[in-house]
Every structure is written in C-alpha cells, then in structure tokens.
Amino acid sequence: MSLHERQDITGRLTLRLHAPDGRVAREQTASNEITPQGRALVAQLFNRDMAATPIARVSQIGLGRNGEKLKAGGTTLNEPIGMTPVRSIEQVPRQPNETRTVLRLTGELAEKEMNGVLQEAGLFTEDGVMYNRVTFAPISKSEQFKLTLVWEITF
C-alpha cells in the first residue's frame, strides 16, 4: 500500500454532437479548471462550523461563446449564452485497484437550443456559483444537431 495518494480534484468535459440520425458527428474532450469559488464550495463540506448552513448543489451546465482564459477572480463564463439542467448524476463504478471516485454529470441541448459557436462551459450550483470552467475548440451548434455534455469529476 502506498503512503501517498493523489488528492487533486480533476474534471473533463466530453461534448458529443449528434446528427439527426443519432450518430455522433463530432466528439471532443477538454479538461477543466476548478474556480476559487468551486474550491470554497468543496471546503464548506469539511467545515463543521457550517454544518447548519445549506449548501447549494451543482444543477446546471452553462455554455458560452468566449474561449479565452478565465479572467482573474472570474465568477461566471466570459460570454454566457444559456444554461441547461444537469439531467443525471451518477457515480462511476470503480475499476479494480482504483481508489478515486468519479462522478458523471450529463446534460443535453436539443436541436433548437443555444445554436451558434460554443467555446466555453461551466458547472453551476442552484444559486449561481460556478464550480468549474472549461474552454474547448469551437463547436458550431445548429438546429441539425443535438449536443450531449458529459462532465466527469474525479475526486
């Protein structure tokens, strides 16, 4: 048994553009950065002095058009265009000898939702805290496609 364990929290977003016939027309992944507000949110879970304080849960995926780096102290997307609900959250079964936990959050944009060029996304709590943010190669979303967003967070 190792005396050292990786403690970092990581995240990765997979974007799948689905053609009208259901096939995946394009897929790409990008790693995210956790915002200072997101780190504070996790820290609240360990703070017994806040045990009586309700903590808002991640419930939405925000999307935007600006793929530039998050501005220092940024608390929202650079150029937000809309939110879609997180439709499912599941814990991924561990592989043998795996010690880390993976949560998979999934959202979807229908054909008529948030069309245009997308380059950034973030996970948001019910009360608007941006937990993390990712930028990715531009995706041109149109009425011809659905977009599935699969966000995996590893603890």
Side-chain angles (χ1 to χ4, degrees):
M1 176 197 283
S2 173
L3 296 176
H4 300 283
E5 184 175 359
R6 258 178 60 196
Q7 297 293 325
D8 56 328
I9 300 172
T10 61
R12 181 182 64 204
L13 175 63
T14 300
L15 302 110
R16 292 188 187 111
L17 205 57
H18 298 271
D21 63 4
R23 71 180 167 76
V24 176
R26 181 174 174 194
E27 180 175 300
Q28 69 183 54
T29 61
S31 297
N32 67 235
E33 61 181 303
I34 300 172
T35 67
Q37 297 82 6
R39 292 181 189 282
L41 187 67
V42 173
Q44 288 176 9
L45 296 173
F46 289 90
N47 185 343
R48 74 169 174 234
D49 293 337
M50 299 187 75
T53 304
I55 298 172
R57 306 296 181 204
V58 169
S59 62
Q60 301 178 84
I61 300 172
L63 291 147
R65 300 190 193 284
N66 187 321
E68 294 175 13
K69 186 174 176 89
L70 185 64
K71 295 169 181 64
T75 59
T76 190
L77 298 174
N78 287 337
E79 193 177 330
I81 59 166
M83 297 276 190
T84 190
V86 171
R87 298 191 187 269
S88 67
I89 300 176
E90 62 180 314
Q91 186 170 331
V92 177
R94 288 186 179 156
Q95 299 298 316
N97 299 321
E98 178 60 53
T99 60
R100 303 186 78 201
T101 298
V102 176
L103 291 180
R104 183 177 295 140
L105 297 85
T106 304
E108 186 173 274
L109 298 179
E111 291 86 348
K112 294 184 186 270
E113 293 180 300
M114 293 188 234
N115 291 317
V117 176
L118 305 173
Q119 294 188 81
E120 63 179 331
L123 286 175
F124 289 83
T125 62
E126 298 157 345
D127 61 353
V129 172
M130 184 170 61
Y131 171 74
N132 60 7
R133 179 179 179 267
V134 64
T135 59
F136 44 87
I139 288 185
S140 294
K141 166 82 174 57
S142 72
E143 291 186 7
Q144 300 299 311
F145 299 98
K146 286 184 187 176
L147 181 64
T148 301
L149 305 143
V150 180
W151 216 310
E152 292 185 337
I153 308 294
T154 304
F155 299 89

